[in-house]
Amino acid sequence: IEARNALIELDGKMINGQRIQAEFAKPKASDQNYFAANPRIYIGRLPQGTKKQDIQQLFTAFGEVLEIHQKDDYAFLSYANHDSASRALQNMNGFLFNGNRLIVEEARPKDEAAILKTSRLYIGNLAPTLNKTEMLQIFGKYGDVIELNMREDFAFIEYTSVPSAYRALQEMNGQRVGGRKIVIEEAKPKDAQVDSSVLAAASEQAKRNRRKSPRRSLSRSRSRSLSLIHISE
């Protein structure tokens, strides 16, 4: 492996009159409980032009890769188990890849929070033919859905976790669904307030409609008709 060869070559070498000490970069301290439950790693300093297939080829040697989410010069990679993720950390941190020495660390909760602050998403430009069942089939594969509220050509969806929302955002934003290219972004607090007020108004209108039953309306119409007939006589 190139990283090991570089370490052997450089360790103890004199550079500018000083003897350098080379060793593998150690992963930063992190929440071990979180990493054990979420075998997910951060891969930084990816060379320009790196594709998901390249990352897959590099890291699949350490175990089954469930998913890769890449953005610019970094990516998050999820393994099927903790042992695979640990082996990737030990072997790939400091690995020289296309001229860049990779940074490979445990993905921490704050890493996810840096991308999204909430597990609630706004989905816009929806086709009028889409229904709630179809939406759940499409977006349910990214994680457990707590709530899905649809309104005309947009919707709000909330997942049980931020990583699930992030996966949905990364994979579905800009995709064509029902013939339209949908727009997905993090739901803002004001969006949630508007959504709640719309739902409350709809619920209140439904209550009013239930109170106005057809039988009662029919009885009132008959009473008015009888009154008019009596006056004319």
Side-chain angles (χ1 to χ4, degrees):
I1 298 177
E2 294 182 28
R4 288 198 177 94
N5 293 336
L7 186 146
I8 294 171
E9 183 180 346
L10 293 173
D11 189 30
K13 188 174 182 178
M14 295 292 293
I15 297 180
N16 294 333
Q18 293 186 349
R19 190 175 301 280
I20 67 170
Q21 180 180 358
E23 60 182 14
F24 286 115
K26 297 179 177 60
K28 294 180 181 179
S30 62
D31 186 343
Q32 295 298 324
N33 293 330
Y34 179 84
F35 184 56
N38 301 273
R40 185 173 172 87
I41 61 174
Y42 164 86
I43 308 166
R45 297 194 65 196
L46 289 171
Q48 187 175 4
T50 300
K51 299 179 180 179
K52 283 186 179 181
Q53 296 92 317
D54 302 323
I55 301 172
Q56 176 86 23
Q57 187 175 0
L58 277 176
F59 287 86
T60 195
F62 306 105
E64 181 185 357
V65 175
L66 297 181
E67 58 188 1
I68 299 172
H69 298 292
Q70 183 182 0
K71 186 173 183 180
D72 300 327
D73 62 346
Y74 67 91
F76 289 96
L77 183 148
S78 295
Y79 279 105
N81 59 65
H82 177 263
D83 290 339
S84 298
S86 296
R87 287 195 296 271
L89 288 177
Q90 294 168 6
N91 289 277
M92 296 303 292
N93 189 33
F95 180 78
L96 189 63
F97 175 57
N98 290 347
N100 282 17
R101 199 166 292 281
L102 300 180
I103 299 172
V104 181
E105 303 174 347
E106 301 171 9
R108 299 179 294 274
K110 69 178 182 180
D111 294 330
E112 307 288 358
I115 301 169
L116 288 178
K117 299 293 189 297
T118 176
S119 61
R120 187 177 180 84
L121 299 174
Y122 164 85
I123 308 171
N125 198 35
L126 292 176
T129 55
L130 279 176
N131 58 48
K132 194 169 185 178
T133 300
E134 292 171 327
M135 286 286 288
L136 287 173
Q137 289 176 346
I138 295 169
F139 288 92
K141 62 183 179 181
Y142 299 105
D144 293 331
V145 176
I146 297 175
E147 188 177 37
L148 173 63
N149 297 322
M150 298 183 66
R151 290 288 300 174
E152 298 179 355
D153 63 345
F154 68 93
F156 290 94
I157 188 169
E158 185 172 358
Y159 287 95
T160 56
S161 68
V162 170
S164 294
Y166 174 70
R167 287 193 291 270
L169 173 64
Q170 287 291 100
E171 294 292 332
M172 293 302 298
N173 186 32
Q175 296 296 320
R176 287 196 173 274
V177 178
R180 287 188 179 183
K181 185 178 287 188
I182 62 174
V183 177
I184 303 179
E185 58 187 35
E186 183 177 9
K188 301 175 180 62
K190 64 179 181 180
D191 292 333
Q193 291 173 5
V194 170
D195 187 28
S196 298
S197 64
V198 168
L199 289 174
S203 176
E204 184 61 30
Q205 183 61 44
K207 290 179 181 178
R208 293 196 194 100
N209 292 340
R210 283 196 296 270
R211 284 196 291 266
K212 294 180 179 180
S213 66
R215 184 178 296 276
R216 185 177 300 177
S217 299
L218 182 61
S219 299
R220 287 177 179 173
S221 298
R222 287 175 176 172
S223 299
R224 287 172 185 164
S225 299
L226 289 172
S227 297
L228 289 172
I229 292 171
H230 178 73
I231 292 172
S232 61
E233 290 176 354

Short mmCIF file of all heavy atoms in Angstrom, two decimals, residues 27-50:
data_model
loop_
_atom_site.label_atom_id
_atom_site.label_comp_id
_atom_site.label_asym_id
_atom_site.label_seq_id
_atom_site.Cartn_x
_atom_site.Cartn_y
_atom_site.Cartn_z
N PRO A 27 -7.06 8.46 13.98
CA PRO A 27 -8.42 9.02 13.99
C PRO A 27 -8.64 9.88 15.23
O PRO A 27 -8.13 9.57 16.30
CB PRO A 27 -9.33 7.78 14.03
CG PRO A 27 -8.47 6.67 13.52
CD PRO A 27 -7.07 7.00 13.96
N LYS A 28 -9.39 10.94 15.05
CA LYS A 28 -9.68 11.81 16.18
C LYS A 28 -10.60 11.10 17.18
O LYS A 28 -11.38 10.23 16.84
CB LYS A 28 -10.37 13.10 15.69
CG LYS A 28 -9.46 13.96 14.83
CD LYS A 28 -10.21 15.21 14.38
CE LYS A 28 -9.32 16.08 13.50
NZ LYS A 28 -10.02 17.28 13.04
N ALA A 29 -10.47 11.51 18.43
CA ALA A 29 -11.35 10.94 19.46
C ALA A 29 -12.78 11.32 19.14
O ALA A 29 -13.10 12.41 18.72
CB ALA A 29 -10.97 11.49 20.82
N SER A 30 -13.70 10.40 19.32
CA SER A 30 -15.11 10.67 19.03
C SER A 30 -15.98 9.84 19.95
O SER A 30 -15.50 9.06 20.76
CB SER A 30 -15.42 10.36 17.57
OG SER A 30 -15.21 8.99 17.33
N ASP A 31 -17.26 10.02 19.79
CA ASP A 31 -18.21 9.29 20.60
C ASP A 31 -18.24 7.83 20.15
O ASP A 31 -18.81 7.49 19.11
CB ASP A 31 -19.61 9.91 20.43
CG ASP A 31 -20.62 9.29 21.36
OD1 ASP A 31 -20.38 8.21 21.90
OD2 ASP A 31 -21.68 9.92 21.54
N GLN A 32 -17.61 6.94 20.92
CA GLN A 32 -17.50 5.54 20.54
C GLN A 32 -18.86 4.87 20.45
O GLN A 32 -19.08 3.99 19.61
CB GLN A 32 -16.61 4.80 21.54
CG GLN A 32 -15.15 5.26 21.54
CD GLN A 32 -14.47 5.02 20.19
OE1 GLN A 32 -14.75 4.02 19.53
NE2 GLN A 32 -13.62 5.92 19.78
N ASN A 33 -19.76 5.25 21.31
CA ASN A 33 -21.10 4.66 21.27
C ASN A 33 -21.81 4.99 19.97
O ASN A 33 -22.48 4.14 19.38
CB ASN A 33 -21.94 5.13 22.47
CG ASN A 33 -21.40 4.61 23.79
OD1 ASN A 33 -20.82 3.53 23.84
ND2 ASN A 33 -21.59 5.37 24.85
N TYR A 34 -21.66 6.21 19.51
CA TYR A 34 -22.29 6.63 18.26
C TYR A 34 -21.70 5.85 17.09
O TYR A 34 -22.42 5.35 16.22
CB TYR A 34 -22.11 8.13 18.04
CG TYR A 34 -22.71 8.63 16.74
CD1 TYR A 34 -24.06 8.96 16.67
CD2 TYR A 34 -21.92 8.75 15.60
CE1 TYR A 34 -24.62 9.40 15.47
CE2 TYR A 34 -22.48 9.19 14.40
CZ TYR A 34 -23.83 9.51 14.34
OH TYR A 34 -24.37 9.94 13.16
N PHE A 35 -20.37 5.72 17.07
CA PHE A 35 -19.70 5.02 15.96
C PHE A 35 -20.05 3.54 15.96
O PHE A 35 -20.20 2.94 14.90
CB PHE A 35 -18.19 5.22 16.07
CG PHE A 35 -17.41 4.62 14.93
CD1 PHE A 35 -17.69 4.97 13.62
CD2 PHE A 35 -16.41 3.70 15.17
CE1 PHE A 35 -16.98 4.40 12.57
CE2 PHE A 35 -15.69 3.14 14.13
CZ PHE A 35 -15.98 3.49 12.82
N ALA A 36 -20.17 2.95 17.13
CA ALA A 36 -20.51 1.53 17.22
C ALA A 36 -21.91 1.27 16.64
O ALA A 36 -22.15 0.25 15.99
CB ALA A 36 -20.44 1.05 18.67
N ALA A 37 -22.81 2.20 16.90
CA ALA A 37 -24.18 2.05 16.41
C ALA A 37 -24.34 2.52 14.97
O ALA A 37 -25.29 2.14 14.29
CB ALA A 37 -25.15 2.81 17.31
N ASN A 38 -23.41 3.38 14.52
CA ASN A 38 -23.48 3.93 13.17
C ASN A 38 -22.12 3.77 12.49
O ASN A 38 -21.29 4.67 12.54
CB ASN A 38 -23.85 5.42 13.21
CG ASN A 38 -25.18 5.67 13.89
OD1 ASN A 38 -26.22 5.63 13.27
ND2 ASN A 38 -25.15 5.92 15.19
N PRO A 39 -21.86 2.61 11.87
CA PRO A 39 -20.56 2.36 11.23
C PRO A 39 -20.40 3.18 9.96
O PRO A 39 -20.47 2.70 8.84
CB PRO A 39 -20.60 0.86 10.93
CG PRO A 39 -22.05 0.53 10.80
CD PRO A 39 -22.76 1.45 11.76
N ARG A 40 -20.20 4.46 10.16
CA ARG A 40 -20.20 5.44 9.08
C ARG A 40 -18.90 6.25 9.19
O ARG A 40 -18.53 6.71 10.27
CB ARG A 40 -21.42 6.34 9.23
CG ARG A 40 -21.67 7.36 8.13
CD ARG A 40 -23.02 7.99 8.43
NE ARG A 40 -23.34 9.11 7.57
CZ ARG A 40 -23.92 9.01 6.39
NH1 ARG A 40 -24.23 7.83 5.92
NH2 ARG A 40 -24.20 10.08 5.67
N ILE A 41 -18.21 6.43 8.08
CA ILE A 41 -16.93 7.13 8.10
C ILE A 41 -16.98 8.38 7.22
O ILE A 41 -17.76 8.47 6.27
CB ILE A 41 -15.77 6.23 7.66
CG1 ILE A 41 -15.98 5.74 6.21
CG2 ILE A 41 -15.60 5.04 8.62
CD1 ILE A 41 -14.81 4.94 5.66
N TYR A 42 -16.13 9.33 7.57
CA TYR A 42 -15.94 10.55 6.79
C TYR A 42 -14.67 10.39 5.97
O TYR A 42 -13.64 9.96 6.48
CB TYR A 42 -15.83 11.75 7.72
CG TYR A 42 -15.27 12.99 7.06
CD1 TYR A 42 -16.10 13.87 6.37
CD2 TYR A 42 -13.90 13.29 7.13
CE1 TYR A 42 -15.60 15.01 5.76
CE2 TYR A 42 -13.39 14.43 6.52
CZ TYR A 42 -14.24 15.29 5.84
OH TYR A 42 -13.73 16.40 5.24
N ILE A 43 -14.74 10.72 4.69
CA ILE A 43 -13.57 10.64 3.81
C ILE A 43 -13.31 12.03 3.24
O ILE A 43 -14.13 12.56 2.48
CB ILE A 43 -13.80 9.64 2.65
CG1 ILE A 43 -14.26 8.28 3.20
CG2 ILE A 43 -12.54 9.48 1.81
CD1 ILE A 43 -14.81 7.36 2.12
N GLY A 44 -12.21 12.63 3.63
CA GLY A 44 -11.89 13.99 3.20
C GLY A 44 -10.70 14.06 2.26
O GLY A 44 -9.96 13.10 2.10
N ARG A 45 -10.56 15.23 1.62
CA ARG A 45 -9.49 15.52 0.68
C ARG A 45 -9.55 14.63 -0.56
O ARG A 45 -8.51 14.18 -1.07
CB ARG A 45 -8.12 15.40 1.36
CG ARG A 45 -7.88 16.39 2.48
CD ARG A 45 -6.42 16.44 2.87
NE ARG A 45 -5.60 16.96 1.77
CZ ARG A 45 -4.27 16.83 1.71
NH1 ARG A 45 -3.63 16.18 2.67
NH2 ARG A 45 -3.59 17.33 0.70
N LEU A 46 -10.74 14.38 -1.04
CA LEU A 46 -10.88 13.61 -2.27
C LEU A 46 -10.38 14.43 -3.46
O LEU A 46 -10.70 15.62 -3.57
CB LEU A 46 -12.34 13.22 -2.50
CG LEU A 46 -12.93 12.17 -1.55
CD1 LEU A 46 -14.43 12.08 -1.76
CD2 LEU A 46 -12.27 10.82 -1.76
N PRO A 47 -9.60 13.83 -4.35
CA PRO A 47 -9.12 14.56 -5.52
C PRO A 47 -10.26 14.99 -6.43
O PRO A 47 -11.32 14.35 -6.46
CB PRO A 47 -8.22 13.53 -6.23
CG PRO A 47 -7.88 12.51 -5.21
CD PRO A 47 -9.06 12.45 -4.30
N GLN A 48 -10.06 16.07 -7.15
CA GLN A 48 -11.07 16.54 -8.08
C GLN A 48 -11.35 15.47 -9.14
O GLN A 48 -10.43 14.84 -9.66
CB GLN A 48 -10.60 17.83 -8.75
CG GLN A 48 -11.66 18.50 -9.63
CD GLN A 48 -11.18 19.83 -10.17
OE1 GLN A 48 -10.04 20.22 -9.95
NE2 GLN A 48 -12.04 20.53 -10.89
N GLY A 49 -12.61 15.28 -9.44
CA GLY A 49 -12.98 14.29 -10.44
C GLY A 49 -13.26 12.91 -9.89
O GLY A 49 -13.62 12.00 -10.64
N THR A 50 -13.11 12.75 -8.56
CA THR A 50 -13.39 11.45 -7.94
C THR A 50 -14.87 11.13 -8.04
O THR A 50 -15.72 11.97 -7.77
CB THR A 50 -12.97 11.44 -6.46
OG1 THR A 50 -11.57 11.71 -6.38
CG2 THR A 50 -13.24 10.09 -5.83
#
